[in-house]
Amino acid sequence: MAKKVLIVEDNELNLRLFRDLLEAHGAEVRTVRDAREALDAIRAFIPHLVIMDIQLPHISGVELIRLMKAEAALDSIPVMAVTAYAGKGDEGRVRQAGADAYVSKPISVSRFVSAVEGLAGPLGDGFKRAG
């Protein structure tokens, strides 16, 4: 059975890269571009993993993680935080909010997939080749 992954990312290029990688490895993927819609999407989809950009407009990824972890129905869902702007102390702040993993961009494809599977388990039936 395919793992369900929800991606919260406002950058279209990053969102497509993450989605395409995960779908190629067999995951069922949903995406959210607007952080204000993220919690409703998580509640509706109940993913095995949330991949959360930290630099989001309107609501920061750190605040979204805190809000998510404050809900009993969502607090056990692992969160992988991703950011292009890793500064000193950021990882500690993000992990303190409740993130289970912290990855800085640019992302190595193999490390990204390994980190995702480390949190969610095998994504699906393995790599699917277009054909």
Side-chain angles (χ1 to χ4, degrees):
M1 183 165 107
K3 295 292 180 161
K4 298 182 341 183
V5 180
L6 187 126
I7 303 167
V8 183
E9 171 67 70
D10 64 318
N11 179 291
E12 186 65 30
L13 187 61
N14 289 331
L15 186 137
R16 285 194 346 239
L17 172 66
F18 298 160
R19 182 190 63 222
D20 291 351
L21 273 172
L22 296 171
E23 286 178 345
H25 283 80
E28 179 183 348
V29 180
R30 300 271 169 88
T31 60
V32 177
R33 289 169 183 80
D34 189 328
R36 296 170 292 189
E37 299 170 6
L39 286 177
D40 287 339
I42 295 166
R43 288 183 200 110
F45 189 49
I46 307 295
H48 295 98
L49 174 66
V50 173
I51 297 174
M52 178 86 64
D53 185 17
I54 296 304
Q55 302 292 330
L56 295 165
H58 309 296
I59 304 169
S60 77
V62 172
E63 183 59 24
L64 274 175
I65 294 168
R66 284 191 187 113
L67 292 169
M68 183 182 154
K69 296 299 184 173
E71 291 191 30
L74 306 179
D75 76 335
S76 65
I77 299 170
V79 175
M80 184 170 88
V82 293
T83 185
Y85 307 104
K88 187 175 182 177
D90 283 352
E91 182 173 359
R93 182 174 56 90
V94 170
R95 286 188 178 273
Q96 186 175 24
D100 300 279
Y102 179 88
V103 178
S104 57
K105 299 173 193 170
I107 292 177
S108 152
V109 170
S110 61
R111 273 196 282 151
F112 176 77
V113 173
S114 292
V116 167
E117 289 188 330
L119 293 169
L123 294 175
D125 299 330
F127 188 75
K128 296 182 179 182
R129 297 194 194 292

